[in-house]
Amino acid sequence: MAYAKTFISTLMSAISNCSLYSKDHISVDNLTKKSIAILNELLTDRDSLEIMIVEDNLVINKAPARNAGHHGSNLIKRLKRKGISRIDFLKGISYSELKQFIADLSDPEKKLKIYPHIKTGIIDVRIGGDSLASNLENLSSEQVARVKEIYHNIAPHKELNISGLEEIVVNFIVTFKREANILKLISPVKAYSEYTYTHATNVAILSMFQAESLGARDDLLHDIGIAALLHDVGKLFISKDILEKKGKLDKREWEEIKMHSLYGARYLARISGLTQLAAIAALEHHLRYDCKGYPQLNAGGKEQHFCSQIIATSDFFDALRSRRPYKRDWQIEVEEIVALMKENAGSEFNPFLVDNFSKTLLKALKKG
Ligand SMILES: [Fe+2]
Ligand SMILES: [Fe+2]
């Protein structure tokens, strides 16, 4: 992150000098050379450097860049003036491309061109207004609506909107910085038909919150969020009659529901550019810590991935919470779910995760 910030300050110095002097001034030339050297170094082990503006904050490679200084705010201003809120610098970028980009960005009259290794675009991420508390409800229903939109476009031969998912996850990370009480961030299920999207949103928030409290950052945190958003995607491939059946499911129907892990994993594994964690978590989120869940793929058994364990814990919490609409007392409800999770620690859930998650939840209850 520190080196990415150095890149931004060098780039911004080049841009300021370019507007002060000219594109061909020696200082612009030197700063462009320095910028491209830093950029190439940043791109040695990754394919792109992504810079986004999320509500006046810079987000670099999906992690919020705190204290990006006046160069950071300058970059935000310049990009906003051009109507863009996202730049991806891609591996293979050349000196002349970056120089042209610097010249175009420094001139308020010029429109940005199409550059082979610089992609610019708009992301539409809105987070509340002045008072976060009054906007949390709007924020959560907005997120659920976005998840719904993405889910509606999921079909075997359609392209999955990966960048839409990325934006949702980045939005969560930025929200965490402003609201530390996890219980305020999860959404109530307003209508039965919204359950799928509300559940996906909540499981993502709860999983990212757990993962962050355990030290996950940047790409890992982000990938866990995407995997959690998609953990039940396989349910889209199961008949609605079974999914929405009011009465008791018979054996065949229950076996069909259980197939959602496999259907989801199969669908997600075929999508290029998507984190592998998504298919893994879809496959394993009902496997259980003791491997006695489903699917039972081979006789030797396979241990559940740590990220799937995180998602399974969040899944349990959200499923219990939202399926008991008759419960009114939030405090008792959370305490009861925590007690149930503890009962199943070591069998269904990883005991270490249960301990950590319960502490987070009970702390949030105290905060009110
Ligand atoms: Fe599931
Ligand atoms: Fe689920």
Side-chain angles (χ1 to χ4, degrees):
M1 176 62 80
Y3 208 44
K5 284 187 197 161
T6 312
F7 167 69
I8 289 179
S9 25
T10 320
L11 179 77
M12 287 318 295
S13 308
I15 292 170
S16 317
N17 282 18
C18 190
S19 24
L20 270 178
Y21 311 113
S22 80
K23 183 177 170 224
D24 301 311
H25 191 274
I26 179 78
S27 71
V28 178
D29 199 50
N30 286 337
L31 286 161
T32 309
K33 277 184 191 147
K34 207 170 151 195
S35 305
I36 196 87
I38 301 173
L39 188 54
N40 280 330
E41 225 172 291
L42 286 166
L43 293 172
T44 39
D45 52 1
R46 56 186 312 136
D47 291 331
S48 67
L49 173 75
E50 303 166 9
I51 300 176
M52 292 196 241
I53 304 174
V54 180
E55 225 218 13
D56 285 332
N57 294 300
L58 276 186
V59 175
I60 305 175
N61 291 334
K62 286 137 201 164
R66 279 166 231 102
N67 314 320
H70 78 279
H71 285 302
S73 11
N74 252 338
L75 176 63
I76 292 175
K77 245 186 259 161
R78 296 247 182 204
L79 293 179
K80 277 191 170 174
R81 255 184 248 151
K82 300 273 181 203
I84 57 174
S85 48
R86 174 174 186 155
I87 323 174
D88 290 7
F89 293 97
L90 309 182
K91 211 182 191 107
I93 180 167
S94 67
Y95 164 83
S96 57
E97 248 180 274
L98 189 66
K99 192 162 180 187
Q100 187 60 50
F101 179 71
I102 289 170
D104 296 343
L105 206 56
S106 69
D107 184 341
E109 305 299 316
K110 264 195 188 160
K111 274 203 167 167
L112 292 181
K113 298 186 184 63
I114 295 173
Y115 316 88
H117 297 89
I118 306 171
K119 302 271 172 259
T120 58
I122 305 163
I123 56 161
D124 179 21
V125 182
R126 283 155 288 163
I127 302 215
D130 301 329
S131 149
L132 181 68
S134 66
N135 281 302
L136 272 176
E137 199 174 325
N138 287 345
L139 169 72
S140 65
S141 42
E142 246 177 59
Q143 298 308 320
V144 173
R146 280 158 185 261
V147 173
K148 183 176 176 179
E149 214 177 288
I150 292 172
Y151 264 66
H152 274 189
N153 279 309
I154 291 179
H157 300 292
K158 271 195 188 168
E159 219 168 279
L160 176 71
N161 182 356
I162 299 180
S163 60
L165 289 166
E166 281 176 355
E167 281 157 24
I168 292 172
V169 165
V170 168
N171 224 338
F172 291 158
I173 300 178
V174 177
T175 315
F176 292 164
K177 308 288 166 219
R178 298 175 57 177
E179 175 54 63
N181 186 339
I182 180 66
L183 293 173
K184 285 192 180 164
L185 296 175
I186 47 181
S187 317
V189 181
K190 289 191 184 126
Y192 182 72
S193 57
E194 301 290 291
Y195 176 73
T196 309
Y197 326 111
T198 316
H199 176 63
T201 310
N202 288 342
V203 172
I205 290 180
L206 292 165
S207 301
M208 291 172 74
F209 215 86
Q210 287 191 65
E212 199 185 33
S213 73
L214 294 169
R217 298 284 178 271
D218 304 340
D219 281 0
L220 177 61
L221 184 60
H222 174 268
D223 290 353
I224 290 174
I226 302 243
L229 277 173
L230 297 167
H231 77 280
D232 269 338
V233 92
K235 287 195 177 163
L236 297 179
F237 305 107
I238 289 179
S239 110
K240 275 214 166 125
D241 298 344
I242 298 182
L243 273 184
E244 291 169 6
K245 187 175 170 183
K246 291 268 153 51
K248 216 174 165 243
L249 297 173
D250 64 27
K251 194 165 181 287
R252 187 197 58 83
E253 290 164 335
W254 181 233
E255 289 304 319
E256 178 63 14
I257 294 254
K258 288 188 349 196
M259 288 302 284
H260 81 275
S261 310
L262 219 54
Y263 294 159
R266 202 185 290 157
Y267 165 75
L268 295 169
R270 288 186 187 139
I271 297 172
S272 61
L274 184 69
T275 167
Q276 283 188 340
L277 273 185
I280 293 173
L283 185 71
E284 299 178 345
H285 69 281
H286 293 289
L287 187 59
R288 299 172 47 128
Y289 178 67
D290 58 11
C291 297
K292 289 186 179 158
Y294 63 88
Q296 289 295 325
L297 291 175
N298 48 35
K302 183 180 168 295
E303 260 184 44
Q304 209 183 11
H305 191 289
F306 190 65
C307 294
S308 309
Q309 294 176 350
I310 292 182
I311 291 171
T313 323
S314 311
D315 192 25
F316 180 81
F317 180 85
D318 189 63
L320 279 194
R321 193 195 60 91
S322 47
R323 278 172 207 164
R324 291 175 170 181
Y326 55 88
K327 281 272 182 189
R328 283 287 168 265
D329 192 327
W330 185 230
Q331 169 109 18
I332 294 178
E333 189 174 359
V334 172
E335 282 170 355
E336 274 179 12
I337 303 175
V338 166
L340 272 174
M341 266 188 327
K342 285 189 174 165
E343 247 172 60
N344 291 303
S347 52
E348 190 165 351
F349 307 116
N350 180 332
F352 167 74
L353 288 178
V354 168
D355 189 49
N356 179 62
F357 191 30
S358 325
K359 280 183 187 148
T360 313
L361 290 168
L362 297 175
K363 213 195 287 168
L365 270 184
K366 275 189 210 135
K367 280 185 190 159

